Amino acid sequence: MKVEKKVEKYARKKGWKVKARLEDGILYLEGEVPSYKEYVEIGRYAGKQKNVEGVVNRLKYKGKKEVKRKKGGNELIGEADVVIIGGGVTGCMIARELSKYKLDIILVEKAEDVACGATKANNAMVHTGIGEKMGTLKQKLCVEGHKMYEELSKQLDFPYEKNGMWIILTKDSFADMPIPSFLGNFIARFIIPRIILRRAKKLGIPMHIVKRKELLKEEPNVTSRALIAVYSPTYGVTSPYLFTIALAENAIDNGVKIMLETEVVDMITEGEEVKEVVTDKGRIKARYVINAAGIYADMVAEMAGAREYTIHPKKGSTLLFDKDYGNYIKHSMTILKFPRMEHYKGGGAMLTFERNIQLGPTLMEVEDREDTSVTAAEIKQIFSRFSLLLPNLPRKGVIAYFAGLRAATFTEDFIIRRAKKVRNFIHVAGIQSPGLAAAPAVAKMVVGLLKESGLEMVEKKDFNPYRKASVVIRELSVEERQKMVEKDARYGKVVCRCENVTEGEIVDAIHGKIGARNIDAIKRRTRAGMGRCQGSFCLPHVAKIISRETGIPLEEIKKNGNGSNLFIGKAKCLLEEENEN
Amino acid sequence: MKTDVAIIGGGPAGLAAAIEAKKHAKVTLIERNEELGGILQQCIHHGFGNFIFGEALTGPEYAEHFIEQMEGIDVMLNTTVLEIDKNKRMLLSSPDGVFEMEAKAIILAMGCRERTRTQIFIPGTRPAGIYTAGTAQRLINIEGVMLGKHVVILGSGDVGLIMARRFTLEGAKVEGVYEIMPKPGGLTRNIVQCLYDFDIPLHLSHTIVEIVGKRRVEGVFVAKVDENFKPIEETKRFVPCDTLILAVGLIPENELTKKIGIELDDITAGPVVDEGMETSIEGIFACGNVVHVHDLVDDVSFSAIIAGREAAKYANGRKIKRRKIKVKAGENVRYVVPQIINGRDMEEITFYFRVKKEMENVVTRLLVDGEVRKEKRELIVKPPEMVRLKVKGDLVMNANSISIEVKKVA
Ligand SMILES: Cc1cc2nc3c(=O)[nH]c(=O)nc-3n(C[C@H](O)[C@H](O)[C@H](O)COP(=O)(O)OP(=O)(O)OC[C@H]3O[C@@H](n4cnc5c(N)ncnc54)[C@H](O)[C@@H]3O)c2cc1C
Ligand SMILES: Cc1cc2nc3c(=O)[nH]c(=O)nc-3n(C[C@H](O)[C@H](O)[C@H](O)COP(=O)(O)OP(=O)(O)OC[C@H]3O[C@@H](n4cnc5c(N)ncnc54)[C@H](O)[C@@H]3O)c2cc1C
């Protein structure tokens, strides 16, 4: 049966009116379904069909919100060989890679800082690729990307460590499957580990089996229901925002122009070509456009007349534990549980670079592309799921929780290719996990696509691959610290008591290449406010330092972007207002 | 650098300890902020020192009484203690440098920090406009900024109540104070003076079940809770507001304490101390909110005087016996400080404790070796209000078992 018919039939059976059309590998869905849930259901069904490279889901349903586009500015604000849309890890990695060539490059980002999308709210794992579906593009790029991290972290001075990962099978692994427990345990102990090893071998990933006794000796807090583990010593962890900031700073050093608080709202096309990218700040003339807009990539593609997929956000929430529990586990770990949810690695207990345990993430389809709330149900779900792994990890250890949105398409794999009909537009979409791990390889692939589409790329002789991070005082020896304080007394004044961040480091963050202008930007760069008191203590100090260093009045300091003002004015401002009325 | 007694923290606890210790030894006081006084500097309301000075002073006034007596004490401001070790060496960081200091005795007086939204698991988004009460107080009273127009306060402890009044006086509308317990958490005088006098509604057995708002708080969902403190879904309702103040408890600030393995009390979250305020590591003392959260600063000052005196004696080489007799928390007693009696030669000892549940017409009593040795009548005892029982030192000096209990008067 033809794909269109198959999808239509599926819908008809459910009583929905859906028309499907396949063109150039893209399946377009039109019609109506009852609610967002069914919209996703049929989209996913369509995405699984053979020869479908993308699903554009235009189905209507009750309560569907149409996103209003901002108005574009008229002024010409730039001109570039390549315009990159999106300042997440994908966009910034591409910018840095392209800065090796003699090109004029502009990166536009709508937020007030780089790394504000999914890039700031993930689990920081540099996956090896073992957890991805075999044969997918994302797996290929993950395996390649992972290998590039070591070198990159040396060049760009950002945190990266191969901390390892346990894949653990327990007596609960098959408990929800309709098979007797002895059989489940048998499969868990003898079959699954071998399958994993075989795949690892094929992918060139070093892994080995660890028996229960050894595992529990290494990790005494892991459940005694554990049966066996497969260990991956090269699994890595980074800091996704420090990495992205490093990329952006190095790109700037090599001539890339980064425009923050600049949102792409439209594109001017001529024939099969984008001529100009229209932003809320003005127009940018572009020879090539790269779409790395994360959760909004489908809308950006639409502006170029190249909508070839629809994004359905999948939220993931994570609980973060106090560093006090940093030695509770030695390595990150995940529990394999069957049946496996589609397109979900299952999460686990993962150590950040600073040794905070992260428990999660969840997986939840959400309609709202800005919905990063953590629900009570998710918190409950995380505790119950991962108590199968670490049954005694105390709830009181949680210091923060956060959610990020995975920019999933209905075909679920990364979509990295030239647009079908627009000659100079390149999709880098559907970059859900392992988008962080894969980023270096994604950027290389984009270079290839640009060459293919006719952009002449000449390597720069004076490309500078190196970038130095600003000083992190708590990592220095007493003597080194003393030297820093002699240079600048502010390195002696501790501002964040939980993470021991000094005033000097905060000042550095404000005056960095991409200067921090708000509390969250400071937090990402220095960790001030990331500890157990969550900024209760340092917030007033940090706000004052930003104000002093930038001249922004204290009462106008923000938590992050527009509308996130911390204060409404000076003290007494409401009383004065009253008096005036 | 060397000193006899080093005091970490320049709040009321550190100040009183320093003044007392100075009478007998060389004292260095280390404070990370740019001024002395600790939390008091931001408490511009009246209500401090009723016991000690017989009048209700403001926080800064109360602090000033002590700060005036700091002469002869080596005060280091803007200086944070990063680490301490068992041999009483400390690593300090200040704009003048990073250096080590060695002391003969150390007094921990770091106060406490506030519990956050995460620690009580309020779901929802993470917008601007959520503040812990102490931070809000500092921002308004010291930094001179106003935080919002429509305020919801979670927690009816004293800090929450005082902030409800502060916001109202600043011209904001306090939409309500929500308290998960069936009884308010603060002192009765504060309920009257901070809420009733300003018509601020108090919703008992209520909690916040969700925070709404992307960039800035847009409101909260509140709900009534059942007897197990579980929110009742049908009672969920939306309260629009732009500011959420969390006054959901204080946690003694014991990061330094923990790192060197000083024994902590699970209930108070502070170090276990003896009647001389000495911790489980010889020569390291503790006083004030770092030991357990106090309602009244007067008690902080009293306990600090003991710590100052005993620490100075220790620094001067006095040896004591260590009998390590545990003080048991008996009927309707949640915890007692001091937790240990070593048998120091002290004229008086005050036991501070909190009850588990409210009771009227009770007698609080001290049992030594199974016998009642001291009794005191109280009209009412409540969990939020600390109870004191002062006894003669020789009553417990040679005891083999000690407990405190609260009994209904027949
Ligand atoms: C819960 C969770 C856990 C994860 N864990 C991992 C992990 O452990 N390891 C891993 O490898 N991956 C992980 N991922 C995936 C990883 O976070 C993403 O793949 C990666 O961050 C995607 O980066 P990006 O740059 O493509 O997208 P984003 O970071 O979202 O960046 C897109 C940017 O485009 C901007 N933008 C959008 N529209 C416009 C416009 N019109 N104009 C201008 N700018 C625009 C946005 O503001 C945004 O900054 C996780 C994801 C989630 C959600
Ligand atoms: C809002 C509010 C209202 C109150 N109202 C009243 C009232 O009406 N009446 C009343 O009697 N009591 C009241 N109290 C209680 C009283 O203020 C406290 O019990 C008292 O301040 C505790 O004193 P402290 O010295 O233990 O702690 P703090 O006052 O907190 O002082 C601790 C000091 O230690 C410093 N410090 C901590 N760690 C380090 C380190 N590593 N290095 C250097 N320095 C460090 C801190 O900066 C701080 O200055 C109120 C408290 C609050 C928060």
Side-chain angles (χ1 to χ4, degrees), chain B residues 8-14 30-33 37-40 43 45-49 79-81 109-112 137 159 162 189 253 256 287-290 294-298 300:
Chain B
I8 309 177
I30 306 151
E31 166 59 51
R32 66 181 167 205
N33 275 332
I39 205 88
L40 293 180
C43 298
H45 60 279
H46 289 266
F48 296 83
T79 307
T80 300
V81 177
M110 291 92 74
C112 39
Q137 190 180 41
V159 189
I162 282 159
R189 71 158 201 237
E253 174 115 354
L256 294 173
C287 57
N289 273 355
V290 84
H294 293 69
D295 322 326
L296 295 177
V297 71
D298 308 65
V300 169

Side-chain angles (χ1 to χ4, degrees), chain A residues 259-532:
Chain A
M259 298 181 171
L260 296 176
E261 292 186 304
T262 307
E263 179 171 346
V264 175
V265 294
D266 202 0
M267 272 174 237
I268 297 174
T269 51
E270 231 177 75
E272 296 198 336
E273 221 170 86
V274 177
K275 289 285 181 198
E276 287 181 9
V277 171
V278 183
T279 76
D280 54 351
K281 297 279 158 68
R283 300 175 292 126
I284 304 167
K285 280 202 176 132
R287 288 177 60 210
Y288 286 84
V289 178
I290 293 169
N291 175 11
I295 205 84
Y296 291 103
D298 53 347
M299 298 185 180
V300 168
E302 174 128 329
M303 296 171 198
R307 181 144 192 175
E308 296 167 13
Y309 41 84
T310 295
I311 285 177
H312 61 113
K314 291 194 290 190
K315 186 172 67 165
S317 294
T318 302
L319 307 181
L320 194 77
F321 282 71
D322 196 312
K323 278 194 297 197
D324 270 5
Y325 298 92
N327 294 318
Y328 195 83
I329 54 176
K330 281 209 183 75
H331 309 288
S332 297
M333 54 183 65
T334 179
I335 176 172
L336 274 191
K337 205 160 156 22
F338 297 86
R340 303 201 68 191
M341 239 213 266
E342 246 183 317
H343 311 297
Y344 180 39
K345 284 195 282 290
M350 289 156 293
L351 285 166
T352 66
F353 190 76
E354 307 274 345
R355 292 199 81 84
N356 299 91
I357 293 179
Q358 311 173 80
L359 216 51
T362 56
L363 185 136
M364 205 174 139
E365 296 276 354
V366 290
E367 182 181 359
D368 181 352
R369 296 187 188 215
E370 304 279 327
D371 179 359
T372 50
S373 66
V374 176
T375 65
E378 283 177 297
I379 295 174
K380 210 168 136 194
Q381 192 191 330
I382 293 174
F383 279 121
S384 77
R385 183 175 175 101
F386 298 112
S387 66
L388 298 179
L389 194 56
L390 297 169
N392 301 316
L393 183 62
R395 289 172 70 100
K396 68 162 200 247
V398 175
I399 57 167
Y401 28 85
F402 59 86
L405 296 174
R406 305 172 179 91
T409 63
F410 289 111
T411 43
E412 298 288 345
D413 204 354
F414 291 174
I415 296 182
I416 305 173
R417 62 172 182 239
R418 298 170 59 191
K420 303 253 169 192
K421 296 217 174 94
V422 185
R423 189 193 59 81
N424 60 348
F425 188 84
I426 291 174
H427 301 292
V428 190
I431 311 295
Q432 46 177 319
S433 184
L436 175 64
V442 169
K444 291 264 187 231
M445 185 170 170
V446 169
V447 170
L449 290 171
L450 280 172
K451 281 184 182 159
E452 232 175 70
S453 52
L455 180 61
E456 64 291 1
M457 300 185 62
V458 183
E459 279 186 40
K460 274 182 202 160
K461 290 235 166 57
D462 56 350
F463 171 72
N464 174 12
Y466 299 102
R467 168 266 186 193
K468 202 81 206 99
S470 18
V471 61
V472 180
I473 295 292
R474 67 180 167 276
E475 288 173 359
L476 302 181
S477 68
V478 174
E479 294 72 37
E480 291 168 325
R481 262 181 111 132
Q482 175 60 26
K483 273 204 199 114
M484 290 304 293
V485 180
E486 279 163 20
K487 245 198 270 170
D488 186 336
R490 293 177 294 191
Y491 289 118
K493 169 85 186 178
V494 175
V495 171
C496 165
R497 63 177 172 192
C498 302
E499 299 292 320
N500 277 333
V501 182
T502 64
E503 180 171 351
E505 293 164 86
I506 291 170
V507 171
D508 287 344
I510 295 168
H511 297 304
K513 285 222 166 61
I514 307 174
R517 289 289 173 276
N518 56 64
I519 302 290
D520 284 355
I522 295 279
K523 180 165 130 180
R524 284 192 292 274
R525 285 165 177 76
T526 66
R527 289 186 70 76
M530 276 204 186
R532 52 182 70 94

